[in-house]
Amino acid sequence: MNSQIFQSIEAFRKYRSALKGKVAVVPTMGALHEGHLSLVHQARTVADHVIMTIFVNPSQFGPHEDFNKYPRTLENDVRLGQRAGVDCFFTPEVSEIYPEGYGTWVIPETPVCQKLEGASRPGHFRGVTTVVLKLFNIIQADVAIFGRKDYQQCLIIRQMVRDLNIPIQLIEAPIHREPDGLAMSSRNRYLSTAEREYALGIQRSMKLAKSLVLEEKKYNFSEIISVLHAEILTHSSVRLDYATFVDPETLEPQSHFEGQTLFVAAVWVGKTRLIDNITIESSK
């Protein structure tokens, strides 16, 4: 299929005004992988038109993070997206989203924003919520599809939509994994062959957490957290940012299993920071 590609807001809006039917948006930073494409496939089941945004958002990167080296593969992204069923790509330059003199920001202030990624990456969610709100306003979609690998981001966007009365339906898609279990991420391509092997400890810890809680009935998290950390820290090049059990809605730390928990981790493998999570709940 031949997809439309727009860089300017004005040109995109002319295209958007002519669309009839339900519109879904899949917001991305590009460097597409099968996880992104699975979001497109899901979007096609709920909408007549699928729009993908590709924008590496500088405002969600910290001063010492990987904005400048973040992979930019637009030509390949468009090819993959077209095959998956994207009807239109919105691929603005930074100056289109943040023109000279830009000074309006969405600053989320709920307790959820201060934990985990919010604590490790100050200002990150200000950048995320600002660009997502701008994209929602530009695209005017009926549905937006996000992946649950960015679990905390999903919670924060969900609250922003509620708080600001944004007329859009949010769909959160399951984490898409490589055949070996590693959560798909555009940053996986940074990993060397050896680092890729070390990174598999993250997924092993997820599976082990679920097994220890649901099968072995280890409900006191303080008794098992060191075992889970050891599963991740298999090499000197691997270090933890965090790996812990939290309440799935509030992200408050949990010390005991009470029917549902989220095991969430952020791990440095060499110079690459990876995140993952798993929801663990007892059967009703």
Side-chain angles (χ1 to χ4, degrees), residues 216-252:
E216 299 189 29
K217 311 299 183 186
K218 303 288 187 181
Y219 292 162
N220 186 335
F221 295 148
S222 63
E223 295 177 354
I224 62 173
I225 198 68
S226 61
V227 176
L228 299 175
H229 287 182
E231 193 67 43
I232 297 171
L233 298 171
T234 57
H235 190 270
S236 59
S237 66
V238 182
R239 55 191 173 89
L240 287 180
D241 188 339
Y242 57 79
T244 189
F245 292 94
V246 296
D247 181 277
E249 288 299 321
T250 66
L251 303 188
E252 288 287 342

PDB file of all heavy atoms in Angstrom, residues 216-252:
ATOM      1  N   GLU A 216       5.118 -21.232  44.147  1.00  0.00           N
ATOM      2  CA  GLU A 216       5.759 -21.593  45.416  1.00  0.00           C
ATOM      3  C   GLU A 216       5.174 -20.836  46.603  1.00  0.00           C
ATOM      4  O   GLU A 216       5.599 -21.038  47.740  1.00  0.00           O
ATOM      5  CB  GLU A 216       7.268 -21.368  45.312  1.00  0.00           C
ATOM      6  CG  GLU A 216       7.918 -22.225  44.229  1.00  0.00           C
ATOM      7  CD  GLU A 216       9.432 -22.174  44.278  1.00  0.00           C
ATOM      8  OE1 GLU A 216       9.978 -21.966  45.387  1.00  0.00           O
ATOM      9  OE2 GLU A 216      10.065 -22.344  43.225  1.00  0.00           O
ATOM     10  N   LYS A 217       4.227 -19.942  46.319  1.00  0.00           N
ATOM     11  CA  LYS A 217       3.501 -19.217  47.373  1.00  0.00           C
ATOM     12  C   LYS A 217       4.440 -18.405  48.271  1.00  0.00           C
ATOM     13  O   LYS A 217       4.247 -18.321  49.493  1.00  0.00           O
ATOM     14  CB  LYS A 217       2.676 -20.188  48.226  1.00  0.00           C
ATOM     15  CG  LYS A 217       1.821 -21.165  47.433  1.00  0.00           C
ATOM     16  CD  LYS A 217       0.802 -20.479  46.564  1.00  0.00           C
ATOM     17  CE  LYS A 217      -0.081 -21.477  45.833  1.00  0.00           C
ATOM     18  NZ  LYS A 217      -1.001 -20.835  44.868  1.00  0.00           N
ATOM     19  N   LYS A 218       5.445 -17.792  47.671  1.00  0.00           N
ATOM     20  CA  LYS A 218       6.352 -16.917  48.407  1.00  0.00           C
ATOM     21  C   LYS A 218       5.744 -15.518  48.423  1.00  0.00           C
ATOM     22  O   LYS A 218       5.945 -14.715  47.525  1.00  0.00           O
ATOM     23  CB  LYS A 218       7.727 -16.889  47.745  1.00  0.00           C
ATOM     24  CG  LYS A 218       8.390 -18.257  47.600  1.00  0.00           C
ATOM     25  CD  LYS A 218       8.856 -18.801  48.936  1.00  0.00           C
ATOM     26  CE  LYS A 218       9.672 -20.076  48.756  1.00  0.00           C
ATOM     27  NZ  LYS A 218      10.118 -20.647  50.035  1.00  0.00           N
ATOM     28  N   TYR A 219       4.984 -15.222  49.451  1.00  0.00           N
ATOM     29  CA  TYR A 219       4.214 -13.986  49.488  1.00  0.00           C
ATOM     30  C   TYR A 219       4.934 -12.840  50.188  1.00  0.00           C
ATOM     31  O   TYR A 219       4.492 -11.697  50.116  1.00  0.00           O
ATOM     32  CB  TYR A 219       2.866 -14.231  50.177  1.00  0.00           C
ATOM     33  CG  TYR A 219       1.936 -15.130  49.389  1.00  0.00           C
ATOM     34  CD1 TYR A 219       0.859 -15.741  50.014  1.00  0.00           C
ATOM     35  CD2 TYR A 219       2.122 -15.353  48.025  1.00  0.00           C
ATOM     36  CE1 TYR A 219      -0.013 -16.557  49.302  1.00  0.00           C
ATOM     37  CE2 TYR A 219       1.257 -16.177  47.305  1.00  0.00           C
ATOM     38  CZ  TYR A 219       0.195 -16.772  47.946  1.00  0.00           C
ATOM     39  OH  TYR A 219      -0.666 -17.581  47.233  1.00  0.00           O
ATOM     40  N   ASN A 220       6.018 -13.136  50.891  1.00  0.00           N
ATOM     41  CA  ASN A 220       6.808 -12.087  51.534  1.00  0.00           C
ATOM     42  C   ASN A 220       7.904 -11.669  50.556  1.00  0.00           C
ATOM     43  O   ASN A 220       8.867 -12.387  50.335  1.00  0.00           O
ATOM     44  CB  ASN A 220       7.418 -12.603  52.839  1.00  0.00           C
ATOM     45  CG  ASN A 220       8.134 -11.512  53.605  1.00  0.00           C
ATOM     46  OD1 ASN A 220       8.588 -10.517  53.043  1.00  0.00           O
ATOM     47  ND2 ASN A 220       8.245 -11.694  54.923  1.00  0.00           N
ATOM     48  N   PHE A 221       7.746 -10.499  49.956  1.00  0.00           N
ATOM     49  CA  PHE A 221       8.650 -10.095  48.888  1.00  0.00           C
ATOM     50  C   PHE A 221      10.086  -9.881  49.366  1.00  0.00           C
ATOM     51  O   PHE A 221      11.027 -10.075  48.601  1.00  0.00           O
ATOM     52  CB  PHE A 221       8.129  -8.827  48.205  1.00  0.00           C
ATOM     53  CG  PHE A 221       6.833  -9.016  47.481  1.00  0.00           C
ATOM     54  CD1 PHE A 221       5.917  -7.978  47.381  1.00  0.00           C
ATOM     55  CD2 PHE A 221       6.505 -10.231  46.893  1.00  0.00           C
ATOM     56  CE1 PHE A 221       4.716  -8.142  46.708  1.00  0.00           C
ATOM     57  CE2 PHE A 221       5.298 -10.416  46.219  1.00  0.00           C
ATOM     58  CZ  PHE A 221       4.397  -9.360  46.133  1.00  0.00           C
ATOM     59  N   SER A 222      10.251  -9.496  50.613  1.00  0.00           N
ATOM     60  CA  SER A 222      11.611  -9.273  51.130  1.00  0.00           C
ATOM     61  C   SER A 222      12.415 -10.580  51.142  1.00  0.00           C
ATOM     62  O   SER A 222      13.653 -10.550  51.101  1.00  0.00           O
ATOM     63  CB  SER A 222      11.560  -8.683  52.540  1.00  0.00           C
ATOM     64  OG  SER A 222      10.953  -9.586  53.449  1.00  0.00           O
ATOM     65  N   GLU A 223      11.719 -11.709  51.147  1.00  0.00           N
ATOM     66  CA  GLU A 223      12.401 -12.997  51.175  1.00  0.00           C
ATOM     67  C   GLU A 223      12.883 -13.439  49.789  1.00  0.00           C
ATOM     68  O   GLU A 223      13.746 -14.304  49.691  1.00  0.00           O
ATOM     69  CB  GLU A 223      11.464 -14.071  51.746  1.00  0.00           C
ATOM     70  CG  GLU A 223      11.095 -13.850  53.208  1.00  0.00           C
ATOM     71  CD  GLU A 223      10.122 -14.900  53.705  1.00  0.00           C
ATOM     72  OE1 GLU A 223       9.655 -15.730  52.875  1.00  0.00           O
ATOM     73  OE2 GLU A 223       9.803 -14.908  54.912  1.00  0.00           O
ATOM     74  N   ILE A 224      12.320 -12.868  48.748  1.00  0.00           N
ATOM     75  CA  ILE A 224      12.670 -13.335  47.397  1.00  0.00           C
ATOM     76  C   ILE A 224      13.341 -12.275  46.531  1.00  0.00           C
ATOM     77  O   ILE A 224      13.871 -12.598  45.472  1.00  0.00           O
ATOM     78  CB  ILE A 224      11.421 -13.873  46.651  1.00  0.00           C
ATOM     79  CG1 ILE A 224      10.378 -12.768  46.466  1.00  0.00           C
ATOM     80  CG2 ILE A 224      10.834 -15.051  47.396  1.00  0.00           C
ATOM     81  CD1 ILE A 224       9.195 -13.202  45.597  1.00  0.00           C
ATOM     82  N   ILE A 225      13.337 -11.019  46.962  1.00  0.00           N
ATOM     83  CA  ILE A 225      13.843  -9.959  46.091  1.00  0.00           C
ATOM     84  C   ILE A 225      15.327 -10.124  45.786  1.00  0.00           C
ATOM     85  O   ILE A 225      15.778  -9.859  44.672  1.00  0.00           O
ATOM     86  CB  ILE A 225      13.547  -8.557  46.683  1.00  0.00           C
ATOM     87  CG1 ILE A 225      13.677  -7.480  45.599  1.00  0.00           C
ATOM     88  CG2 ILE A 225      14.420  -8.266  47.875  1.00  0.00           C
ATOM     89  CD1 ILE A 225      12.624  -7.536  44.534  1.00  0.00           C
ATOM     90  N   SER A 226      16.110 -10.608  46.763  1.00  0.00           N
ATOM     91  CA  SER A 226      17.538 -10.790  46.516  1.00  0.00           C
ATOM     92  C   SER A 226      17.788 -11.885  45.483  1.00  0.00           C
ATOM     93  O   SER A 226      18.735 -11.808  44.687  1.00  0.00           O
ATOM     94  CB  SER A 226      18.270 -11.117  47.818  1.00  0.00           C
ATOM     95  OG  SER A 226      17.784 -12.315  48.386  1.00  0.00           O
ATOM     96  N   VAL A 227      16.935 -12.899  45.476  1.00  0.00           N
ATOM     97  CA  VAL A 227      17.050 -13.971  44.473  1.00  0.00           C
ATOM     98  C   VAL A 227      16.775 -13.417  43.080  1.00  0.00           C
ATOM     99  O   VAL A 227      17.467 -13.746  42.104  1.00  0.00           O
ATOM    100  CB  VAL A 227      16.066 -15.112  44.803  1.00  0.00           C
ATOM    101  CG1 VAL A 227      16.098 -16.178  43.715  1.00  0.00           C
ATOM    102  CG2 VAL A 227      16.382 -15.715  46.161  1.00  0.00           C
ATOM    103  N   LEU A 228      15.783 -12.559  42.983  1.00  0.00           N
ATOM    104  CA  LEU A 228      15.442 -11.959  41.690  1.00  0.00           C
ATOM    105  C   LEU A 228      16.546 -11.020  41.213  1.00  0.00           C
ATOM    106  O   LEU A 228      16.875 -10.993  40.028  1.00  0.00           O
ATOM    107  CB  LEU A 228      14.107 -11.219  41.798  1.00  0.00           C
ATOM    108  CG  LEU A 228      12.909 -12.093  42.181  1.00  0.00           C
ATOM    109  CD1 LEU A 228      11.668 -11.243  42.367  1.00  0.00           C
ATOM    110  CD2 LEU A 228      12.665 -13.162  41.119  1.00  0.00           C
ATOM    111  N   HIS A 229      17.107 -10.257  42.125  1.00  0.00           N
ATOM    112  CA  HIS A 229      18.223  -9.377  41.756  1.00  0.00           C
ATOM    113  C   HIS A 229      19.406 -10.191  41.254  1.00  0.00           C
ATOM    114  O   HIS A 229      20.062  -9.817  40.262  1.00  0.00           O
ATOM    115  CB  HIS A 229      18.633  -8.517  42.946  1.00  0.00           C
ATOM    116  CG  HIS A 229      17.662  -7.431  43.269  1.00  0.00           C
ATOM    117  ND1 HIS A 229      17.863  -6.517  44.278  1.00  0.00           N
ATOM    118  CD2 HIS A 229      16.462  -7.104  42.713  1.00  0.00           C
ATOM    119  CE1 HIS A 229      16.844  -5.683  44.338  1.00  0.00           C
ATOM    120  NE2 HIS A 229      15.977  -6.018  43.398  1.00  0.00           N
ATOM    121  N   ALA A 230      19.674 -11.300  41.908  1.00  0.00           N
ATOM    122  CA  ALA A 230      20.793 -12.156  41.499  1.00  0.00           C
ATOM    123  C   ALA A 230      20.569 -12.728  40.103  1.00  0.00           C
ATOM    124  O   ALA A 230      21.534 -12.938  39.343  1.00  0.00           O
ATOM    125  CB  ALA A 230      20.992 -13.279  42.513  1.00  0.00           C
ATOM    126  N   GLU A 231      19.324 -12.987  39.751  1.00  0.00           N
ATOM    127  CA  GLU A 231      19.011 -13.497  38.420  1.00  0.00           C
ATOM    128  C   GLU A 231      19.350 -12.470  37.336  1.00  0.00           C
ATOM    129  O   GLU A 231      19.719 -12.823  36.215  1.00  0.00           O
ATOM    130  CB  GLU A 231      17.522 -13.862  38.345  1.00  0.00           C
ATOM    131  CG  GLU A 231      17.124 -14.683  37.143  1.00  0.00           C
ATOM    132  CD  GLU A 231      17.713 -16.083  37.159  1.00  0.00           C
ATOM    133  OE1 GLU A 231      17.712 -16.727  38.229  1.00  0.00           O
ATOM    134  OE2 GLU A 231      18.172 -16.524  36.087  1.00  0.00           O
ATOM    135  N   ILE A 232      19.227 -11.192  37.695  1.00  0.00           N
ATOM    136  CA  ILE A 232      19.524 -10.108  36.751  1.00  0.00           C
ATOM    137  C   ILE A 232      21.019  -9.809  36.708  1.00  0.00           C
ATOM    138  O   ILE A 232      21.599  -9.629  35.630  1.00  0.00           O
ATOM    139  CB  ILE A 232      18.747  -8.831  37.144  1.00  0.00           C
ATOM    140  CG1 ILE A 232      17.236  -9.068  37.057  1.00  0.00           C
ATOM    141  CG2 ILE A 232      19.161  -7.658  36.256  1.00  0.00           C
ATOM    142  CD1 ILE A 232      16.400  -7.941  37.641  1.00  0.00           C
ATOM    143  N   LEU A 233      21.646  -9.773  37.868  1.00  0.00           N
ATOM    144  CA  LEU A 233      23.036  -9.312  37.979  1.00  0.00           C
ATOM    145  C   LEU A 233      24.009 -10.468  37.748  1.00  0.00           C
ATOM    146  O   LEU A 233      24.730 -10.895  38.648  1.00  0.00           O
ATOM    147  CB  LEU A 233      23.259  -8.680  39.349  1.00  0.00           C
ATOM    148  CG  LEU A 233      22.403  -7.442  39.633  1.00  0.00           C
ATOM    149  CD1 LEU A 233      22.539  -7.011  41.091  1.00  0.00           C
ATOM    150  CD2 LEU A 233      22.781  -6.298  38.693  1.00  0.00           C
ATOM    151  N   THR A 234      24.035 -10.942  36.509  1.00  0.00           N
ATOM    152  CA  THR A 234      24.867 -12.099  36.175  1.00  0.00           C
ATOM    153  C   THR A 234      26.244 -11.722  35.655  1.00  0.00           C
ATOM    154  O   THR A 234      27.069 -12.593  35.399  1.00  0.00           O
ATOM    155  CB  THR A 234      24.169 -12.954  35.100  1.00  0.00           C
ATOM    156  OG1 THR A 234      23.906 -12.129  33.955  1.00  0.00           O
ATOM    157  CG2 THR A 234      22.858 -13.514  35.635  1.00  0.00           C
ATOM    158  N   HIS A 235      26.496 -10.409  35.511  1.00  0.00           N
ATOM    159  CA  HIS A 235      27.784  -9.968  34.976  1.00  0.00           C
ATOM    160  C   HIS A 235      28.076  -8.572  35.519  1.00  0.00           C
ATOM    161  O   HIS A 235      27.164  -7.803  35.841  1.00  0.00           O
ATOM    162  CB  HIS A 235      27.751  -9.952  33.446  1.00  0.00           C
ATOM    163  CG  HIS A 235      29.085  -9.734  32.810  1.00  0.00           C
ATOM    164  ND1 HIS A 235      29.556  -8.477  32.504  1.00  0.00           N
ATOM    165  CD2 HIS A 235      30.044 -10.612  32.414  1.00  0.00           C
ATOM    166  CE1 HIS A 235      30.754  -8.584  31.946  1.00  0.00           C
ATOM    167  NE2 HIS A 235      31.083  -9.872  31.897  1.00  0.00           N
ATOM    168  N   SER A 236      29.350  -8.236  35.591  1.00  0.00           N
ATOM    169  CA  SER A 236      29.754  -6.948  36.158  1.00  0.00           C
ATOM    170  C   SER A 236      29.278  -5.763  35.325  1.00  0.00           C
ATOM    171  O   SER A 236      29.188  -4.637  35.826  1.00  0.00           O
ATOM    172  CB  SER A 236      31.280  -6.894  36.298  1.00  0.00           C
ATOM    173  OG  SER A 236      31.898  -7.062  35.035  1.00  0.00           O
ATOM    174  N   SER A 237      28.939  -5.988  34.047  1.00  0.00           N
ATOM    175  CA  SER A 237      28.473  -4.894  33.199  1.00  0.00           C
ATOM    176  C   SER A 237      26.979  -4.617  33.383  1.00  0.00           C
ATOM    177  O   SER A 237      26.445  -3.686  32.788  1.00  0.00           O
ATOM    178  CB  SER A 237      28.747  -5.195  31.721  1.00  0.00           C
ATOM    179  OG  SER A 237      27.976  -6.298  31.280  1.00  0.00           O
ATOM    180  N   VAL A 238      26.311  -5.433  34.202  1.00  0.00           N
ATOM    181  CA  VAL A 238      24.883  -5.264  34.453  1.00  0.00           C
ATOM    182  C   VAL A 238      24.690  -4.618  35.820  1.00  0.00           C
ATOM    183  O   VAL A 238      25.274  -5.060  36.815  1.00  0.00           O
ATOM    184  CB  VAL A 238      24.144  -6.614  34.413  1.00  0.00           C
ATOM    185  CG1 VAL A 238      22.646  -6.418  34.639  1.00  0.00           C
ATOM    186  CG2 VAL A 238      24.399  -7.325  33.088  1.00  0.00           C
ATOM    187  N   ARG A 239      23.875  -3.577  35.870  1.00  0.00           N
ATOM    188  CA  ARG A 239      23.588  -2.947  37.171  1.00  0.00           C
ATOM    189  C   ARG A 239      22.121  -2.531  37.224  1.00  0.00           C
ATOM    190  O   ARG A 239      21.503  -2.232  36.199  1.00  0.00           O
ATOM    191  CB  ARG A 239      24.495  -1.749  37.432  1.00  0.00           C
ATOM    192  CG  ARG A 239      24.493  -0.674  36.377  1.00  0.00           C
ATOM    193  CD  ARG A 239      25.623   0.331  36.612  1.00  0.00           C
ATOM    194  NE  ARG A 239      25.737   1.279  35.527  1.00  0.00           N
ATOM    195  CZ  ARG A 239      25.088   2.438  35.459  1.00  0.00           C
ATOM    196  NH1 ARG A 239      24.277   2.793  36.459  1.00  0.00           N
ATOM    197  NH2 ARG A 239      25.241   3.249  34.431  1.00  0.00           N
ATOM    198  N   LEU A 240      21.591  -2.564  38.418  1.00  0.00           N
ATOM    199  CA  LEU A 240      20.184  -2.252  38.626  1.00  0.00           C
ATOM    200  C   LEU A 240      19.969  -0.762  38.803  1.00  0.00           C
ATOM    201  O   LEU A 240      20.716  -0.092  39.514  1.00  0.00           O
ATOM    202  CB  LEU A 240      19.668  -2.945  39.889  1.00  0.00           C
ATOM    203  CG  LEU A 240      19.438  -4.451  39.857  1.00  0.00           C
ATOM    204  CD1 LEU A 240      18.940  -4.905  41.221  1.00  0.00           C
ATOM    205  CD2 LEU A 240      18.420  -4.809  38.786  1.00  0.00           C
ATOM    206  N   ASP A 241      18.949  -0.258  38.154  1.00  0.00           N
ATOM    207  CA  ASP A 241      18.382   1.026  38.558  1.00  0.00           C
ATOM    208  C   ASP A 241      17.335   0.720  39.620  1.00  0.00           C
ATOM    209  O   ASP A 241      17.395   1.198  40.742  1.00  0.00           O
ATOM    210  CB  ASP A 241      17.783   1.737  37.352  1.00  0.00           C
ATOM    211  CG  ASP A 241      17.342   3.167  37.662  1.00  0.00           C
ATOM    212  OD1 ASP A 241      17.123   3.466  38.841  1.00  0.00           O
ATOM    213  OD2 ASP A 241      17.218   3.970  36.720  1.00  0.00           O
ATOM    214  N   TYR A 242      16.384  -0.140  39.257  1.00  0.00           N
ATOM    215  CA  TYR A 242      15.434  -0.672  40.236  1.00  0.00           C
ATOM    216  C   TYR A 242      14.893  -1.992  39.729  1.00  0.00           C
ATOM    217  O   TYR A 242      14.877  -2.259  38.527  1.00  0.00           O
ATOM    218  CB  TYR A 242      14.292   0.312  40.520  1.00  0.00           C
ATOM    219  CG  TYR A 242      13.500   0.744  39.302  1.00  0.00           C
ATOM    220  CD1 TYR A 242      12.522  -0.071  38.736  1.00  0.00           C
ATOM    221  CD2 TYR A 242      13.726   1.981  38.712  1.00  0.00           C
ATOM    222  CE1 TYR A 242      11.805   0.318  37.625  1.00  0.00           C
ATOM    223  CE2 TYR A 242      13.015   2.384  37.594  1.00  0.00           C
ATOM    224  CZ  TYR A 242      12.053   1.555  37.056  1.00  0.00           C
ATOM    225  OH  TYR A 242      11.345   1.946  35.943  1.00  0.00           O
ATOM    226  N   ALA A 243      14.482  -2.839  40.642  1.00  0.00           N
ATOM    227  CA  ALA A 243      13.764  -4.070  40.337  1.00  0.00           C
ATOM    228  C   ALA A 243      12.978  -4.389  41.600  1.00  0.00           C
ATOM    229  O   ALA A 243      13.559  -4.773  42.628  1.00  0.00           O
ATOM    230  CB  ALA A 243      14.711  -5.214  39.985  1.00  0.00           C
ATOM    231  N   THR A 244      11.665  -4.206  41.544  1.00  0.00           N
ATOM    232  CA  THR A 244      10.892  -4.236  42.767  1.00  0.00           C
ATOM    233  C   THR A 244       9.432  -4.575  42.491  1.00  0.00           C
ATOM    234  O   THR A 244       8.977  -4.541  41.350  1.00  0.00           O
ATOM    235  CB  THR A 244      10.994  -2.863  43.478  1.00  0.00           C
ATOM    236  OG1 THR A 244      10.428  -2.934  44.768  1.00  0.00           O
ATOM    237  CG2 THR A 244      10.306  -1.771  42.668  1.00  0.00           C
ATOM    238  N   PHE A 245       8.718  -4.896  43.569  1.00  0.00           N
ATOM    239  CA  PHE A 245       7.287  -5.166  43.493  1.00  0.00           C
ATOM    240  C   PHE A 245       6.523  -3.901  43.890  1.00  0.00           C
ATOM    241  O   PHE A 245       6.815  -3.288  44.920  1.00  0.00           O
ATOM    242  CB  PHE A 245       6.898  -6.292  44.453  1.00  0.00           C
ATOM    243  CG  PHE A 245       7.430  -7.644  44.075  1.00  0.00           C
ATOM    244  CD1 PHE A 245       8.634  -8.100  44.604  1.00  0.00           C
ATOM    245  CD2 PHE A 245       6.737  -8.467  43.196  1.00  0.00           C
ATOM    246  CE1 PHE A 245       9.125  -9.350  44.270  1.00  0.00           C
ATOM    247  CE2 PHE A 245       7.227  -9.721  42.854  1.00  0.00           C
ATOM    248  CZ  PHE A 245       8.422 -10.164  43.386  1.00  0.00           C
ATOM    249  N   VAL A 246       5.531  -3.531  43.055  1.00  0.00           N
ATOM    250  CA  VAL A 246       4.737  -2.341  43.339  1.00  0.00           C
ATOM    251  C   VAL A 246       3.265  -2.625  43.073  1.00  0.00           C
ATOM    252  O   VAL A 246       2.911  -3.562  42.356  1.00  0.00           O
ATOM    253  CB  VAL A 246       5.189  -1.136  42.488  1.00  0.00           C
ATOM    254  CG1 VAL A 246       6.617  -0.734  42.821  1.00  0.00           C
ATOM    255  CG2 VAL A 246       5.046  -1.423  40.994  1.00  0.00           C
ATOM    256  N   ASP A 247       2.427  -1.773  43.642  1.00  0.00           N
ATOM    257  CA  ASP A 247       0.998  -1.850  43.363  1.00  0.00           C
ATOM    258  C   ASP A 247       0.765  -1.465  41.896  1.00  0.00           C
ATOM    259  O   ASP A 247       1.278  -0.448  41.435  1.00  0.00           O
ATOM    260  CB  ASP A 247       0.234  -0.889  44.284  1.00  0.00           C
ATOM    261  CG  ASP A 247      -1.256  -0.951  44.052  1.00  0.00           C
ATOM    262  OD1 ASP A 247      -1.732  -0.274  43.110  1.00  0.00           O
ATOM    263  OD2 ASP A 247      -1.956  -1.653  44.797  1.00  0.00           O
ATOM    264  N   PRO A 248       0.002  -2.246  41.135  1.00  0.00           N
ATOM    265  CA  PRO A 248      -0.161  -1.974  39.703  1.00  0.00           C
ATOM    266  C   PRO A 248      -0.847  -0.653  39.374  1.00  0.00           C
ATOM    267  O   PRO A 248      -0.699  -0.150  38.264  1.00  0.00           O
ATOM    268  CB  PRO A 248      -1.016  -3.153  39.209  1.00  0.00           C
ATOM    269  CG  PRO A 248      -0.777  -4.240  40.197  1.00  0.00           C
ATOM    270  CD  PRO A 248      -0.604  -3.537  41.507  1.00  0.00           C
ATOM    271  N   GLU A 249      -1.589  -0.080  40.306  1.00  0.00           N
ATOM    272  CA  GLU A 249      -2.290   1.179  40.032  1.00  0.00           C
ATOM    273  C   GLU A 249      -1.574   2.393  40.609  1.00  0.00           C
ATOM    274  O   GLU A 249      -1.518   3.440  39.975  1.00  0.00           O
ATOM    275  CB  GLU A 249      -3.726   1.117  40.569  1.00  0.00           C
ATOM    276  CG  GLU A 249      -4.627   0.203  39.764  1.00  0.00           C
ATOM    277  CD  GLU A 249      -4.771   0.645  38.310  1.00  0.00           C
ATOM    278  OE1 GLU A 249      -4.856   1.867  38.054  1.00  0.00           O
ATOM    279  OE2 GLU A 249      -4.785  -0.233  37.425  1.00  0.00           O
ATOM    280  N   THR A 250      -1.016   2.260  41.807  1.00  0.00           N
ATOM    281  CA  THR A 250      -0.399   3.410  42.464  1.00  0.00           C
ATOM    282  C   THR A 250       1.122   3.418  42.345  1.00  0.00           C
ATOM    283  O   THR A 250       1.761   4.434  42.595  1.00  0.00           O
ATOM    284  CB  THR A 250      -0.758   3.438  43.950  1.00  0.00           C
ATOM    285  OG1 THR A 250      -0.152   2.297  44.607  1.00  0.00           O
ATOM    286  CG2 THR A 250      -2.274   3.384  44.154  1.00  0.00           C
ATOM    287  N   LEU A 251       1.702   2.273  42.008  1.00  0.00           N
ATOM    288  CA  LEU A 251       3.157   2.061  41.968  1.00  0.00           C
ATOM    289  C   LEU A 251       3.813   2.214  43.334  1.00  0.00           C
ATOM    290  O   LEU A 251       5.027   2.352  43.434  1.00  0.00           O
ATOM    291  CB  LEU A 251       3.835   2.991  40.949  1.00  0.00           C
ATOM    292  CG  LEU A 251       3.334   2.891  39.506  1.00  0.00           C
ATOM    293  CD1 LEU A 251       4.222   3.712  38.584  1.00  0.00           C
ATOM    294  CD2 LEU A 251       3.260   1.447  39.031  1.00  0.00           C
ATOM    295  N   GLU A 252       2.996   2.158  44.389  1.00  0.00           N
ATOM    296  CA  GLU A 252       3.551   2.154  45.740  1.00  0.00           C
ATOM    297  C   GLU A 252       4.268   0.827  45.987  1.00  0.00           C
ATOM    298  O   GLU A 252       3.793  -0.228  45.553  1.00  0.00           O
ATOM    299  CB  GLU A 252       2.444   2.327  46.786  1.00  0.00           C
ATOM    300  CG  GLU A 252       1.854   3.724  46.854  1.00  0.00           C
ATOM    301  CD  GLU A 252       2.806   4.720  47.487  1.00  0.00           C
ATOM    302  OE1 GLU A 252       3.759   4.289  48.182  1.00  0.00           O
ATOM    303  OE2 GLU A 252       2.610   5.934  47.268  1.00  0.00           O
TER     304      GLU A 252
END
